[in-house]
Amino acid sequence: MARDHGFHPVRITRVVDETPDTRTFALDARFPYQAGQFLTFKVCGTLRSYSMSSSPDTDGEVCVTVKRVPGGLVSGWMHERLRPGDTLEATLPGGSFCLRGDAADRPLVAYAGGSGITPVFSLVKSALATTRRDVGLLTAHQSVGAAIFRQALDALAACHPGRLDLRQHFDDRDGLVAPAEIQALADEGADFYVCGPEPFMALVESALTAHRIPPERILIERFAPTAPVDAPAGPQEPVAGTVTVDLRGERRTVPQRPGETVLQSARRAGFTPPFSCESGDCATCMARLTDGEAKMRVNNALDADEVTEGYVLTCQAEPTTPDVTVVYED
């Protein structure tokens, strides 16, 4: 049987202003999770995934931290409307941006830009609490006032002298982060965790690669698709096949197009299918393949039993047979 990817009510118990545009929402949620994971919320008729800043090893409550994005439908609504006592609909925790079980003796080095500190903060707390690993952390913010968890990180470093090498970078004081600054923390035997705006993550990945860090040691958390989410621009000749989508009791069929995911086909059919991360991490877009076959580019959300039962991440699944049919389950 598939795991529970449905939505469940969670009540807000506290709201904490971290910076002028960032708030932490503490939740009355009694579920197990791993440091670095996220929750997907059903808000304003759409879905959004937000990382947990709490650690299951150090914190007694589940917390998600949300930065308000200018013009952001969901983040703006959460900042303006949500108060203690309000209830949200959320999935159970998901995501693979977690501490690796075989790395207990390896140093951990993390790079966090802006609100990318949210899952990294969770990872660092768990690593310090449950292992003897040395931890290096570089955070990058526009200014001291924009630095999320600045004081909490300072306190954590004070509690773990010699183990946590904390370097907080502020653009207005230090200029933009340079590759040499990134490489200064790069212990060749470490595991590396990266989260933040796409340009920041690209810079870190490039600097680490140039420093001869193996790609398999670099784990990057993205909440934006790494490829276009819509079909390529320009004329597209259909291939000899179809994609049939069953969503909310309605069934539509469109011709297959080369390189197009099932999610893209569903949109082209006029549906508004569920999705969130579009990077293969959250399972919000999962559907059951009932006819034909498809190959997923990335799968960090479904377990082997679910794949055997025919479930796919439609944001990652490309048809490999002439005709495929997927059914989105309520």
Side-chain angles (χ1 to χ4, degrees):
M1 179 178 292
R3 284 179 297 155
D4 183 351
H5 292 289
F7 288 85
H8 305 271
V10 292
R11 185 174 58 86
I12 297 171
T13 58
R14 295 190 303 125
V15 179
V16 180
D17 290 328
E18 304 289 356
T19 71
D21 62 358
T22 307
R23 283 184 172 177
T24 291
F25 298 91
L27 307 173
D28 182 13
R30 310 298 175 87
F31 43 64
Y33 68 99
Q34 297 181 63
Q37 288 191 308
F38 58 81
L39 300 175
T40 299
F41 295 91
K42 186 185 295 183
V43 180
C44 301
T46 189
L47 303 172
R48 290 290 187 277
S49 297
Y50 292 108
S51 295
M52 286 173 279
S53 53
S54 55
S55 160
D57 304 300
T58 63
D59 301 307
E61 56 190 354
V62 176
C63 297
V64 294
T65 299
V66 179
K67 182 174 181 178
R68 182 169 186 165
V69 178
L73 172 67
V74 174
S75 63
W77 184 89
M78 292 180 76
H79 274 243
E80 293 172 6
R81 300 291 187 88
L82 292 181
R83 301 291 183 270
D86 291 339
T87 300
L88 292 169
E89 293 289 315
T91 61
L92 297 182
S96 58
F97 191 67
C98 303
L99 299 175
R100 294 171 175 172
D102 64 345
D105 297 326
R106 289 201 294 266
L108 182 154
V109 178
Y111 302 89
S115 60
I117 187 59
T118 300
V120 169
F121 188 37
S122 177
L123 289 170
V124 168
K125 287 188 287 186
S126 279
L128 292 170
T130 64
T131 75
R132 301 180 66 179
R133 302 171 72 174
D134 289 331
V135 178
L137 172 59
L138 172 64
T139 67
H141 298 282
Q142 293 179 345
S143 64
V144 171
I148 305 167
F149 308 132
R150 179 177 61 86
Q151 294 179 334
L153 286 169
D154 284 337
L156 198 61
C159 288
H160 297 275
R163 282 191 63 201
L164 175 56
D165 183 357
L166 173 64
R167 306 182 186 189
Q168 302 200 64
H169 178 107
F170 306 111
D171 291 348
D172 61 348
R173 182 193 70 189
D174 306 318
L176 297 179
V177 174
E181 191 175 359
I182 295 165
Q183 293 167 348
L185 273 177
D187 185 317
E188 293 184 4
D191 279 343
F192 297 84
Y193 292 81
V194 187
C195 190
E198 190 61 40
F200 173 82
M201 294 192 294
L203 173 65
V204 172
E205 186 173 19
S206 174
L208 292 178
T209 301
H211 202 60
R212 299 182 179 180
I213 300 300
E216 62 270 17
R217 289 284 181 88
I218 305 172
L219 192 60
I220 299 176
E221 178 79 325
R222 288 185 168 94
F223 280 102
T226 56
V229 298
D230 296 316
Q236 287 285 302
E237 291 294 329
V239 298
T242 62
V243 178
T244 298
V245 180
D246 192 317
L247 176 64
R248 304 183 190 97
E250 185 174 355
R251 177 168 288 210
R252 300 175 188 170
T253 300
V254 294
Q256 282 190 31
R257 286 184 175 176
E260 188 173 77
T261 66
V262 172
L263 179 64
Q264 292 166 345
S265 298
R267 289 171 173 155
R268 187 159 51 83
F271 282 127
T272 54
F275 73 95
S276 184
C277 74
E278 291 197 66
S279 57
D281 286 323
C282 75
T284 302
C285 70
M286 69 181 291
R288 186 192 289 269
L289 193 66
T290 60
D291 184 48
E293 297 180 3
K295 181 178 180 180
M296 288 182 283
R297 301 167 182 166
V298 176
N299 173 26
N300 293 324
L302 302 180
D303 62 28
D305 288 342
E306 290 172 317
V307 173
T308 300
E309 292 172 9
Y311 288 96
V312 295
L313 303 174
T314 59
C315 75
Q316 300 295 316
E318 290 187 43
T320 57
T321 55
D323 300 291
V324 300
T325 300
V326 295
V327 177
Y328 286 90
E329 299 180 351
D330 292 334

